Each structure stands twice: as structure tokens, then as C-alpha cells.
Amino acid sequence: MTADAQSRDVAGYALRLGDDALVLSQRLCAWVTRAPTIEEDLAIASIALDLLGHARVLLGHTGERDGTGRTEDDLAYLRTERQFRNTLLVELPNGDFGTTVARQLVFSCYTLLLYTALARSAEPVLAAFAGRAAKEVEYHRMHAAQWTVRLGLGTAESHRRMQAGLDRVWPYTGELFEADESAERLDACGTAVAPARLRSAWELEVGAVLAEAGLTVPQPNWQATGGRSGLHTEAFGPLLAELQAVRRQYPDGSW
Amino acid sequence: MTAPPRLAAGQVRARAELVPDPELPMVTLADLGVLRAVRADADGVLEIVITPTFLGCPAMRVIEAELLAVLAAAGHPDGRVRQELAPAWSSDWISAEGRRKLAEHGIAPPGPANAPLPVRLGLAVPCPHCGSVATRPQSMFGATRCQTVLLCTACLETFAQMKGM
């Protein structure tokens, strides 16, 4: 592979991971002042801030490796829907707290496995990023697992809602592990982690939490796809409009 | 106006070490382990290397500005500040002095960074207000990204602890 082609692959890889982090961060922020307790407000805000920090590093690296020199802000604020590469899972509306916890569980189990493996990348920035991000995501995973068990074994109503949340997000988990040619090329040279490699470990981890929580692993007969190629759900446009509103109303504004 | 004399790297480092953290001003960048190195390149241009505690931490921009001011005042207006992500910052880098200052200000210092997370969260953390170890975790997340919240069952105060990670 030529150096140029590899740079493009790394840029695309960082962009996909960065968009996942950015969009989920934006979704989670909407919980602030609406979470069940004040501690939970802080927890969700902290997780959202961690994810925003991850997005800043990943999108900044995208602009460095793709040769365009775009900054993290350019990438976050000046792209349109079709140019975002996040999975549909992270853009789903929050739903109730059970749905949010379900998404946090499936996503943080996936990112913890991913970043732990990516910390051994041959690409120094990806390795350094992932080594640190894994430490942060460990807290996200534990937070989600504790809530899953608490809601699963709580009351009949909390159990019902937690299961409904899992049923809602499950068809969107397949996209996290979708085969991806450029990631596979990077995986072959020790630079990235092909998503499909993480699937069986993820199923074991999430399955163990659901077993402890007395919940059932959903078996949906359909799977969502499209986000990685820029085809998003109807809910994504309004999310992006809100995220970009200030920057678009006041181009180049500063404070 | 005469330009300040160009101080040697060691003297610049001594000044940089004293810069307070913007979020936890009771500790310095040296106490936190954020300040990694001060070195001169072949042309004598000084570079200060810092490692963020948390990725994309917004305090880094403030820290960079303050360190650039330190460089300029030390006769190095051409000096640079660079962020290094590897090796990743660890709470084990917080100095004994830093731990003492945090506790003095009501923030319990972090436990060991490398123990598994459930063990870290299960360790008895002495209450920084009354010293009791009858404390329990209240929330894994606190007022800043680097803190977690505990409750002291002896004095009934909640308190923050720096996350061990």
C-alpha cells in the first residue's frame, strides 16, 4: 500500500470513530437536567464530555492524515448529513432512560474492546489516543452495566422498560461490526482493528451483563445499515442542525 | 523596553512547574504530572511538553496560553508548547505533594491506577473532612471529568475523589 493510500485509510477510519463519538456526545447532552437524579445528570454529562474529547482528537487526526488540513471544528460544523460516517445506533433518539442505558451498554462494551485492541496500533496517534480512551470508557461501561442490572432486577416496570430499550437498539448493533475494506487493509498491517474481529468478544461481554440482569438477548429479524456510508435516519438532520446552528449563524464568530 | 534575558531550560522548567491547574488551582502542573519536559532543540528554541489528563480536555488551551506566557517572560517568545498523548497520563503521576494539597482542599487523592476498576471503586477511601474510612461510592462521575463522588457515613458529607486511572 502506498503511503498516500494508507493515510487516506487512516483518515477514513479516524473519521468513522470520531463521528460516532461526536454524535453520541450530542445525544447524551440532551439528558442534562432530565436524568433521574442529579448524580445521573453529572454522570451522563461527564460521559458526553469524554466522548467529545475523543471526537476532538479523532477528527483533528482525520484532518491531518487526509491532507486537507481541516480542523476538528471544520469537520464537526461544516459537513452536511451525507458526509457524516457515524453508525445509526448513535444517532437514534434517546428514548426513555432504559433505551439510553441499553445504547450505552452496547456502545461502551464495543468501544472498550476496540480501544483496548487499538492501543497496540502501529500508528502512534491512534495508539496513544486509544490507550487513554480505553481508561475513560472503562468507567462508561461499568456505569451502563450497573444501571442495566439495577433496572433489569428492579421492578416489573423497570425490567419491562430495560428490555424494551434493548429490543429497540439491538437491530442497530450489527452496523458496529460491519465489514469494512479499508479497516481490513489497516488491520492487515497492524494499524487498525477490523470491526468484525470484535463481535464474538462483544457478544460474550454484553451477554454476561444481560444474564446477570435477568434480561433476554434480543433476536431481531432485521438489521439497520447505512450510517457508515452516509445514509442516515430521519432523526439525524435535526440533531445536526442543532449541533451546527451557532457556527452557521455566526460564521467565524469567536468569543 | 529591553527584552528579558533568555533563561536556561532548567530555570524555565522551575517556573513552568509553578503554574496552577486551571480547574484545580490548589495543585500545579508539576504536582499533577501534566508537565512532562522542557527541552531545547538544536537552534536553542525551547519546547514545553505537556500530557493532558483527559483527552480533549478544554483546560489544555488555557494551560498552553499560560505556558507560552512563561516562555515569553523567560526570554523565549519563540518557544513552543506541545501536547504529547503517549504515554497516556496516569493518576499515578500525581506527586505526594499534589496528593497532600488535594486532600487539604477536600478532594481525596486517587487510589492505584492499575487495579481492576471494581477493586479501585471498592477500596476504602478516607474522608478528607473527618478522616473516617466509613465511606462509600455515591457516583462514579463528579463535578469534573477527573473526579468521582463518595459519601462519608461518619460525618455525612459527600466528597470528591480524583479518579484512579
Side-chain angles (χ1 to χ4, degrees), chain A residues 26-242:
Chain A
Q26 177 74 8
R27 273 289 180 238
L28 288 177
C29 284
W31 272 106
V32 175
T33 74
R34 288 170 166 78
T37 63
I38 193 161
E39 285 82 4
E40 203 43 41
D41 258 4
L42 283 175
I44 295 186
S46 287
I47 293 169
L49 269 177
D50 284 346
L51 292 170
L52 189 62
H54 302 173
R56 292 186 60 189
V57 175
L58 289 165
L59 295 183
H61 194 49
T62 301
E64 279 164 23
R65 292 303 300 264
D66 72 3
T68 60
R70 284 177 295 178
T71 65
E72 55 189 82
D73 281 0
D74 292 339
L75 285 161
Y77 295 132
L78 300 177
R79 281 181 297 154
T80 57
E81 260 180 274
R82 293 290 289 266
Q83 294 168 311
F84 276 76
R85 291 292 179 267
N86 54 280
T87 53
L88 302 180
L89 173 72
V90 296
E91 72 192 49
L92 281 184
N94 285 332
D96 66 4
F97 192 65
T99 307
T100 287
V101 169
R103 171 165 56 194
Q104 285 307 108
L105 180 73
V106 298
F107 187 75
S108 60
C109 282
Y110 153 80
T111 42
L112 184 54
L113 289 166
L114 171 62
Y115 294 157
T116 304
L118 191 59
R120 295 186 293 271
S121 167
E123 215 262 15
V125 175
L126 287 180
F129 158 78
R132 176 65 209 173
K135 292 183 176 195
E136 299 178 15
V137 171
E138 208 185 349
Y139 279 82
H140 306 181
R141 201 202 85 97
M142 176 162 271
H143 169 261
Q146 285 178 347
W147 268 115
T148 302
V149 172
R150 198 167 154 188
L151 296 175
L153 299 179
T155 64
E157 175 66 0
S158 72
H159 178 92
R160 183 188 69 75
R161 289 214 196 185
M162 190 62 230
Q163 186 66 54
L166 289 165
D167 294 345
R168 168 83 175 115
V169 303
W170 214 263
Y172 294 86
T173 55
E175 199 180 7
L176 295 170
F177 308 102
E178 247 171 34
D180 170 337
E181 269 180 42
S182 68
E184 274 149 32
R185 281 195 297 273
L186 291 171
D187 191 313
C189 58
T191 300
V193 183
R197 264 212 288 142
L198 303 168
R199 183 151 205 165
S200 55
W202 176 86
E203 281 171 354
L204 278 177
E205 278 218 13
V206 178
V209 176
L210 297 193
E212 190 189 344
L215 296 157
T216 311
V217 177
Q219 305 284 344
N221 56 8
W222 64 283
Q223 269 198 15
T225 183
R228 290 289 192 229
S229 48
L231 299 170
H232 294 278
T233 62
E234 200 176 332
F236 188 54
L239 176 147
L240 204 57
E242 191 168 22

Side-chain angles (χ1 to χ4, degrees), chain B residues 58-79:
Chain B
M60 293 313 275
R61 201 174 281 186
V62 179
I63 292 173
E64 274 181 24
E66 289 185 0
L67 289 174
L68 286 172
V70 166
L71 282 164
H76 292 274
D78 55 345

